[in-house]
Amino acid sequence: MRRSLARGGYRAVAAAAGGPPPHPRPGDPALVVLRALGLGDFLTAVPALRALHRAYPGHRFRLAAPARHADLLALAGLPPHVLPTEGPRTPVWKGPPPELAVNLHGRGPQSTAALRALGPDRLWTYAHPDLPDVPGPCWVSGQHEVDVWCRLVGEYGVTADPADLRLAPPSERSRRPGAAVVHPGAAFPARRWPELRFAEVARWLTDRGYPVVVTGSREEHQLATRVARVAGLEPDAVIAGRTSLTRLAALVAEASVVVCGDTGVGHLATAYATPSVRLFGPVSPAQWGPRIDGLRHVCLWAQGRGDPWGTRPDPGLLRITTRDVLLALEELLARDVPVPSPRTGATARPRSAAASGGQRVP
């Protein structure tokens, strides 16, 4: 039965029962999924999360993740129920143990141990030698992050579609429709392209008539301000630290183009089919780049193989020049490729233009 639910989802349940799928009640069994990471990590797990929710419609779905991810769950069409959790820690849990706990956080052992502490009836996770008494499939290195988690749930009989990455449009519209989004920040210095180069890109876009906004987290506001100042942008072009996740999603959904590093904003561009140029350093785009719509995105990568959590920019990332990015943008914005409308899902012409793509080595 679970296999058929995984393939058919809510439609299969409704057809079998003659009505909508059952709505979980407080006493129903619980399904807890651990993915207590950032924006991009959440978005690459969306196909696996959706597959789990379809396969267990009678379970109370709970995501152990940062509290702000409730908005992302809603955009993904999932119940916005979050157990506030940061990192591979055991979430606060009241009541009977979960019937099923699924580790979409990592290969373990910390994340696996964190879920095992809840005492679930069943625990789905990749095997780890430090926890030989916890069974699971073997980890396979080098896979795309989306495929890693689709494979895990697939090993337990739940079919997930790696292309199921689209998000619903936010309820509020973008405050800067048609803007070019420049996102200079990244979670770690190893993935941050130099800010002066981002400023040159922003100036190039402005010179060609694109309204440019510079995005980032609250901690990246000063970085974004420096980029905007060097690029000659007005102060109101800096919206780093001033947007919720929902507003950021709306901005990207209606943007003309996104320029960013290996970071969550790039995955939002994938979710909304927004043309993008992405700069990769220590990690290959084959693992963290766009999993779908290759023609709408250009990934620049200089074959770096360093530490993605490093404290200095990756040497491979530094080999990507401003000229490389401008040439990629010029080609990307010169071609018209129909893209789905973020509001209707229908095929429409690009908001500006779209795409040439794939992985490139400058």
Side-chain angles (χ1 to χ4, degrees):
M1 179 61 174
R2 284 174 184 143
R3 285 182 178 270
S4 65
L5 289 178
R7 288 194 298 268
Y10 276 94
R11 291 182 182 177
V13 176
H23 185 75
R25 296 168 297 184
D28 286 337
L31 164 59
V32 174
V33 183
L34 178 63
R35 184 74 169 170
L37 296 162
L39 171 61
D41 302 282
F42 173 88
L43 295 174
T44 54
V46 163
L49 290 169
R50 284 175 172 157
L52 287 166
H53 186 234
R54 288 194 301 266
Y56 292 94
H59 282 56
R60 291 176 291 126
F61 182 92
R62 300 290 183 270
L63 179 67
R68 60 187 177 274
H69 282 24
D71 290 339
L72 295 173
L73 285 167
L75 292 175
L78 295 165
H81 302 312
V82 171
L83 301 173
T85 311
E86 297 286 344
R89 298 184 178 90
T90 303
V92 175
W93 183 260
K94 298 179 181 179
E99 193 276 326
L100 173 61
V102 182
N103 182 8
L104 298 187
H105 188 93
R107 65 181 298 186
Q110 295 93 339
S111 49
T112 301
L115 283 178
R116 186 167 65 168
L118 294 175
D121 294 342
R122 293 181 291 158
L123 173 57
W124 294 359
T125 185
Y126 280 109
H128 194 281
D130 288 354
L131 297 172
D133 58 324
V134 180
C138 294
W139 180 270
V140 177
S141 299
Q143 289 187 311
H144 193 284
E145 186 72 5
V146 173
D147 296 311
V148 168
W149 307 112
C150 289
R151 174 176 170 262
L152 175 66
V153 299
E155 292 284 347
Y156 291 95
V158 174
T159 302
D161 179 4
D164 187 18
L165 290 162
R166 298 280 189 240
L167 294 183
S171 57
E172 62 177 291
R173 299 299 297 262
S174 171
R175 300 186 178 187
R176 309 287 181 95
V181 175
V182 174
H183 188 89
F188 293 90
R191 305 177 214 167
R192 293 178 198 155
W193 201 50
E195 61 188 68
L196 292 179
R197 300 185 196 181
F198 270 112
E200 291 184 65
V201 171
R203 186 185 300 116
W204 184 91
L205 288 163
T206 301
D207 289 345
R208 280 150 184 79
Y210 289 92
V212 176
V213 295
V214 187
T215 58
S217 65
R218 184 178 294 104
E219 293 75 21
E220 293 166 344
H221 181 80
Q222 290 186 347
L223 166 64
T225 299
R226 292 194 298 270
V227 169
R229 185 184 302 120
V230 174
L233 303 178
E234 295 296 326
D236 66 356
V238 178
I239 59 176
R242 295 164 45 199
T243 56
S244 64
L245 284 176
T246 301
R247 286 183 178 176
L248 180 62
L251 177 72
V252 172
E254 299 185 47
S256 295
V257 66
V258 171
V259 184
C260 65
D262 176 13
T263 189
V265 168
H267 296 285
L268 276 178
T270 298
Y272 288 113
T274 299
S276 71
V277 174
R278 308 187 205 179
L279 289 64
F280 285 80
V283 179
S284 167
Q287 291 179 262
W288 280 94
R291 180 62 174 74
I292 56 176
D293 299 334
L295 291 179
R296 296 185 187 123
H297 310 284
V298 176
C299 294
L300 299 177
W301 183 49
Q303 306 290 336
R305 293 288 185 183
D307 177 9
W309 302 281
T311 58
R312 305 180 70 177
D314 179 74
L317 183 62
L318 295 178
R319 286 198 294 272
I320 300 173
T321 67
T322 305
R323 176 176 171 77
D324 294 327
V325 176
L326 297 184
L327 288 174
L329 272 171
E330 196 165 47
E331 181 181 347
L332 185 73
L333 296 170
R335 299 186 180 186
D336 286 344
V337 174
V339 300
S341 164
R343 294 261 143 214
T344 66
T347 299
R349 300 310 296 175
R351 291 166 285 281
S352 158
S356 167
Q359 177 180 311
R360 297 187 185 176
V361 179

